[in-house]
Each structure stands twice: as structure tokens, then as C-alpha cells.
Amino acid sequence: MKTDKINPDHYHPHGIITHEPIEIMKSMLTPDAYRGYLVGNVIKYVSRYDKKNGVEDLEKAKKYIDFLDNNKEFITTYTKVGDTIAISKRRDNNE
């Protein structure tokens, strides 16, 4: 059986999903703090991917980008500038 390194079993004891850790974080943090948490994880995984876990870290970063994209009240833009990824956000006034 293949282990899922992006969503490992230790987040689901006894095979039962009670609350995803990300859902707990979202419920405990302010919207700005939650977005900061997500952006920080994107930065962490993208900045280390070529030195640590390769594609696995990029997949983890993508998971956090997906969480950011699900916060529709903000539009987040990711731009590669040299070896750096610039992340900017603006309020979506169309909703």
C-alpha cells in the first residue's frame, strides 16, 4: 500500500476523518492570519523543493495554493521573478 505523503494517515487516526487540521486552523485564526498561514506554507515548500523533497514539496505547495484559491474574497497572484515567487493579493470586488 502506497503512503500518501501529501495527506498522511496520521491526520486521520483509525481511518476516521473527524476534522482536517487545515479546517481547525481556519476556524481558530482570523481570515488574514489564515491566509498568512497558507502563504507561509506555500513559500516554505516552494523555497525548499530543490533541496529537500523535490516534486513532493511542490505538490504540498499546490495543496496550500488550492486552499488559498478557495478563499474567493481575495484574488491571489503568483509571479516567478528570477528564483523568487512573488505572491500578491487584492480584494475581489466582484462578489
Side-chain angles (χ1 to χ4, degrees):
M1 182 167 77
K2 184 180 175 193
T3 301
D4 183 352
K5 293 183 180 182
I6 307 305
N7 197 16
D9 290 339
H10 64 263
Y11 288 133
H12 313 290
H14 312 293
I16 300 169
I17 300 174
T18 54
H19 295 290
E20 290 282 345
I22 194 76
E23 293 169 3
I24 296 168
M25 295 294 289
K26 186 175 184 177
S27 71
M28 295 177 68
L29 298 173
T30 66
D32 284 340
Y34 176 66
R35 281 186 291 279
Y37 165 76
L38 297 175
V39 169
N41 277 297
V42 171
I43 293 167
K44 172 179 70 174
Y45 288 119
V46 169
S47 66
R48 75 180 198 186
Y49 86 94
D50 61 339
K51 298 168 193 69
K52 191 169 180 186
N53 296 320
V55 172
E56 179 185 323
D57 277 345
L58 294 177
E59 290 170 350
K60 289 179 180 180
K62 170 74 169 80
K63 184 174 179 179
Y64 285 97
I65 289 169
D66 290 344
F67 287 129
L68 277 165
D69 286 343
N70 288 329
N71 285 302
K72 298 297 183 188
E73 67 270 20
F74 281 86
I75 296 174
T76 306
T77 306
Y78 305 90
T79 309
K80 187 167 180 9
V81 180
D83 291 334
T84 305
I85 298 212
I87 301 172
S88 61
K89 65 180 180 179
R90 65 179 170 82
R91 201 169 282 283
D92 183 3
N93 295 321
N94 294 324
E95 290 199 10

